[in-house]
Amino acid sequence: MERTLVLIKPDAVQRDLVGELIQRFERKSLKLVGIKMMALSDDLLDEHYSHLVGRDFFAEIKTFMRSTPIIACCWEGVDCVNTVRTMCGITKAREAAPGSIRGDLAMSVQANLVHASDSLETAEVEVARFFNANELFAYEDVVNPFVYSSREK
Ligand code: IDP
Ligand code: MG
């Protein structure tokens, strides 16, 4: 079963959307296997946004991401990396599809509420970047037989 990293960003914390965002993933029937509030360090952000080093907005994103603590979540599900990206919508929130988190709830490119891992390889690296092994939990999901058919797992 895939796992993916979601970060609930400072704009969601300030706008009291933490519960709404967690609820969207819960209602989709993704399984929550890790969650914590964190203040992000400069070093961690350099690593996490290393693909954006050199862009003129790099310093601004780091300041934004450090403006409040964030909520890190690890979600599990069949094909959940792509599913969660689709649920988040495209980066430029004001053009994101209605029905997606960004499409429904945000207008900005920078303040777009959530981070979600963009591939299975990235997800593995990112989950390990934000969670220690003992902060991730394996437990029986009793509704699982009603979420997936036996052939899908
Ligand atoms: P993603 O979050 O949709 O995967 P990335 O390209 O990985 O988008 O960028 C990471 C984050 O950096 C975005 O979610 C957004 O907060 C910020 N960002 C990306 N491009 C811009 C930009 O052109 N201006 C300001 N912030 C940006
Ligand atoms: Mg990205």
Side-chain angles (χ1 to χ4, degrees), residues 22-138:
I22 291 172
Q23 191 180 41
R24 282 183 176 233
F25 297 116
E26 283 189 317
R27 291 177 66 197
K28 184 69 172 167
S29 297
L30 294 165
K31 181 179 174 185
L32 185 61
V33 296
I35 185 164
K36 61 179 171 178
M37 192 171 215
M38 298 172 72
L40 302 183
S41 71
D42 208 46
D43 286 350
L44 188 101
L45 282 166
D46 280 343
E47 201 179 300
H48 185 64
Y49 285 136
S50 62
H51 61 296
L52 300 174
V53 171
R55 304 293 295 270
D56 58 357
F57 56 83
F58 186 63
E60 259 177 74
I61 317 176
K62 289 206 304 181
T63 303
F64 165 64
M65 290 297 286
R66 298 188 70 194
S67 62
T68 71
I70 58 85
I71 317 297
C73 309
C74 182
W75 295 96
E76 190 177 274
V78 172
D79 298 334
C80 79
V81 175
N82 282 331
T83 300
V84 167
R85 286 286 286 189
T86 303
M87 289 177 72
C88 290
I90 63 167
T91 311
K92 189 176 183 179
R94 57 185 171 272
E95 291 179 6
S100 67
I101 288 168
R102 290 164 171 172
D104 284 351
L105 300 170
M107 284 294 286
S108 170
V109 178
Q110 177 180 272
N112 56 13
L113 301 173
V114 275
H115 166 83
S117 306
D118 63 10
S119 70
L120 192 51
E121 299 69 41
T122 313
E124 275 173 28
V125 173
E126 291 186 344
V127 168
R129 178 177 298 142
F130 285 84
F131 287 94
N132 299 315
N134 65 0
E135 294 171 327
L136 295 169
F137 297 87

